[in-house]
Amino acid sequence: MANTSTLLEHEVVFFGGKGGVGKTTIASAFALFAADCGKRTLLVSTDPAHSTSDVLETSLSNIPQSVESNFWALEIDPSAEADRYITRVKNQIAEATAPRLASEVERQIDIARVAPGAEEAALFDRFTKIISEERKQFDLIVFDTAPTGQTLRLLTLPEQMSTWIGCLVDRRRKVNALGRMWRNVAGSSASGGDRKPDPVHEALEERRKRFETARKTLANSKRTAFSFVLIPERLPIWETKRAIEVLAKHDIAIGAIVVNRILPSDVDGEFMARRREQQSQYLERINQSFGSFRTHYVNLWESDVIGVADLRTLAKHIQFDPNS
Ligand SMILES: Nc1ncnc2c1ncn2[C@@H]1O[C@H](COP(=O)(O)OP(=O)(O)OP(=O)(O)O)[C@@H](O)[C@H]1O
Ligand SMILES: [Mg+2]
């Protein structure tokens, strides 16, 4: 799905792509550019490698940290997030479980903490909170994501999870209704216990609403856009094509394609001339495959892109907003 509006016109913008293609660099440059344009912008890194702190030359944590005027950033550490998530779940369950079961329930939750997928579930929980709640304090949220596969899973989860949670909410409602019926039959309804809020039902309902909000935000092409960063090589082109197909199935719109590390035309030598020739073939292929999307081209720099000054220079070169 092509998107005619510029990235700046969205509320949530993702940057994804293969490992090492420049996602963190481009996402940071875009977030800074948006902040400079007057948007209250939050840059969120879900990359466990913490490279956002490096490129911004500042230390970040899991809560928004002010970096520049209008510009905040946070880094989510999946492992720490999983620990916090497990503590929250334990507290919620402790309220709803009979004390004699508490130690067994705790043991089961501790096993779940080390099971495959626990960190992904925690990351997902935080991700939906940012999209549905923290977003209210900002005009724009920019996600610098981990390499493509993991991000796609994360983005397509709200749809599956809200259906699944919906089933759990229904089931809990039925259990409560059965309980009420049983107490009526047993003649104990006079206790008034029926009207007490059910913490399990409330927790499920809160999650269901949050996942639903996240899903609606992601599927709204006016509010959310996904941008791919790639380099003019065979595998990143192939992976980007595949990822665009997956996102289209989930109604997530593509905001822009950023082609990074293009060899400048004035680099010397026969070796470089051959590399350039090879790149120009891939650039042609990129144009054929992604020509319908807004595309930005970025030259390879002599050195790494580090710090706010470099990011501003890069953003100017990229021209995220042709009208600015
Ligand atoms: N156009 C460019 N010219 C020169 N160096 C660049 C350019 N774009 C990115 N880099 C450098 O390449 C390295 C990798 O970039 P970056 O960390 O942004 O990639 P990434 O896609 O986020 O990687 P990962 O998949 O590991 O998260 C960094 O050192 C960055 O400074
Ligand atoms: Mg990165």
Side-chain angles (χ1 to χ4, degrees):
M1 209 187 334
N3 203 328
T4 49
S5 44
T6 69
L7 285 184
L8 208 55
E9 291 169 77
H10 293 85
E11 294 167 26
V12 182
V13 175
F14 290 90
F15 283 87
K18 218 174 148 41
V21 293
K23 298 177 293 296
T24 299
T25 310
I26 307 287
S28 307
F30 172 66
L32 185 59
F33 167 75
D36 287 345
C37 290
K39 293 206 175 242
R40 288 170 60 84
T41 304
L42 175 67
L43 174 66
V44 179
S45 169
T46 56
D47 182 350
H50 300 299
S51 42
T52 315
S53 312
D54 292 344
V55 72
L56 295 176
E57 295 184 305
T58 182
S59 69
L60 297 173
S61 69
N62 73 322
I63 51 168
Q65 200 98 18
S66 170
V67 182
E68 287 278 297
S69 166
N70 281 332
F71 185 23
W72 290 260
L74 66 85
E75 270 184 342
I76 302 176
D77 175 341
S79 173
E81 206 59 46
D83 289 337
R84 273 192 293 275
Y85 181 64
I86 289 288
T87 309
R88 268 201 312 278
V89 171
K90 272 186 180 167
N91 290 342
Q92 277 175 357
I93 290 194
E95 284 173 31
T97 332
R100 69 194 155 78
L101 295 177
S103 66
E104 179 53 22
V105 169
E106 283 237 341
R107 203 177 71 82
Q108 292 294 335
I109 297 175
D110 287 334
I111 293 171
R113 167 64 184 90
V114 290
E119 293 189 359
E120 197 182 27
L123 197 60
F124 173 74
D125 206 63
R126 183 68 200 276
F127 170 81
T128 55
K129 271 198 182 124
I130 291 173
I131 292 181
S132 55
E133 289 157 24
E134 296 179 36
R135 189 167 58 85
K136 290 173 194 153
Q137 297 157 40
F138 301 95
D139 300 319
L140 173 70
I141 309 262
V142 178
F143 281 96
D144 160 28
T145 68
T148 328
Q150 193 192 343
T151 307
L152 290 182
R153 272 187 52 70
L154 212 61
L155 286 177
T156 54
L157 274 172
E159 205 178 339
Q160 298 157 20
M161 296 290 274
S162 58
T163 313
W164 179 68
I165 288 260
C167 293
L168 288 183
V169 170
D170 279 353
R171 196 185 287 178
R172 185 71 192 177
R173 205 175 284 136
K174 280 182 192 140
V175 168
N176 284 346
L178 269 175
R180 267 197 304 274
M181 251 169 61
W182 170 246
R183 283 192 295 279
N184 278 338
V185 170
S188 60
S189 68
S191 68
D194 316 355
R195 270 165 255 125
K196 261 209 290 188
D198 169 13
V200 174
H201 183 266
E202 279 178 0
L204 287 173
E205 189 60 31
E206 183 273 320
R207 278 210 170 78
R208 194 190 61 74
K209 279 196 192 129
R210 175 148 49 85
F211 293 175
E212 184 60 23
T213 308
R215 200 185 64 78
K216 278 194 185 140
T217 307
L218 290 179
N220 185 336
S221 62
K222 285 207 169 69
R223 293 164 72 180
T224 303
F226 198 98
S227 308
F228 282 101
V229 183
L230 75 160
I231 53 176
E233 284 177 16
R234 199 169 58 87
L235 274 178
I237 296 175
W238 180 82
E239 196 170 307
T240 305
K241 267 190 194 166
R242 238 201 85 250
I244 288 176
E245 285 164 17
V246 174
L247 289 185
K249 278 196 197 128
H250 293 271
D251 296 328
I252 298 172
I254 308 302
I257 304 279
V258 182
V259 190
N260 192 15
R261 292 181 165 273
I262 299 173
L263 290 171
S265 52
D266 54 359
V267 287
D268 307 327
E270 204 179 316
F271 175 85
M272 278 303 178
R274 275 207 294 273
R275 292 287 321 173
R276 253 207 320 269
E277 172 53 30
Q278 165 113 69
Q279 270 206 348
S280 71
Q281 289 172 21
Y282 285 126
L283 285 171
E284 182 54 37
R285 202 180 289 178
I286 286 171
N287 192 28
Q288 282 164 11
S289 302
F290 311 120
S292 62
F293 301 112
R294 181 183 297 279
T295 312
H296 302 279
Y297 296 93
V298 186
N299 274 354
L300 175 68
W301 284 24
E302 277 175 11
S303 56
D304 282 352
V305 184
I306 298 281
V308 166
D310 274 4
L311 290 172
R312 282 206 171 98
T313 310
L314 185 71
K316 207 167 177 185
H317 167 71
I318 297 178
Q319 283 203 314
F320 285 110
D321 185 1
N323 309 316
S324 69

